[in-house]
Amino acid sequence: MTHEAKKNAEMTDTAQTEATPQITREQLENDPNKIYRHTKHGTLYKVHALGFLQIAGAHDMTECVIYTCLTLDKYWVRPVSEFIDGRFEQVTA
């Protein structure tokens, strides 16, 4: 098991969290700094803000979620539609 995988497993095991129902866009906008779990990998993330993707092409001005992994010092950006489609679930302490 890699160092990153061990950290993620420890975070998931020690978080003592429960999943909440489907995430909505309004939750992301009105309640920042919540913790979410990727349903496939179990990795925990903190949402910081919503933003817009500015690129040439069909995805220009797509609304996105800006978030970080709790075990890595990296920012991630994903379309809101992908974040709320069931790939992530909000966790509560």
Side-chain angles (χ1 to χ4, degrees):
M1 183 181 279
T2 67
H3 179 68
E4 178 184 339
K6 285 180 184 178
K7 277 186 156 183
N8 286 338
E10 289 170 9
M11 288 289 291
T12 302
D13 290 342
T14 60
Q16 300 295 322
T17 58
E18 295 179 15
T20 58
Q22 183 79 21
I23 303 165
T24 65
R25 185 209 166 281
E26 288 74 25
Q27 283 176 294
L28 295 173
E29 181 177 42
N30 297 328
D31 208 2
N33 299 314
K34 291 290 185 179
I35 305 301
Y36 295 86
R37 180 186 303 118
H38 190 279
T39 57
K40 185 176 180 182
H41 303 290
T43 310
L44 298 175
Y45 297 92
K46 179 179 179 180
V47 170
H48 296 282
L50 297 182
F52 292 94
L53 183 61
Q54 188 174 16
I55 60 171
H59 297 290
D60 188 34
M61 299 310 289
T62 298
E63 190 171 34
C64 295
V65 179
I66 302 162
Y67 59 103
T68 54
C69 177
L70 294 184
T71 57
L72 300 173
D73 190 26
K74 294 183 180 183
Y75 281 84
W76 299 89
V77 178
R78 180 185 293 264
V80 168
S81 61
E82 290 183 7
F83 203 91
I84 65 174
D85 69 359
R87 298 172 203 219
F88 293 86
E89 57 191 8
Q90 185 177 340
V91 294
T92 55

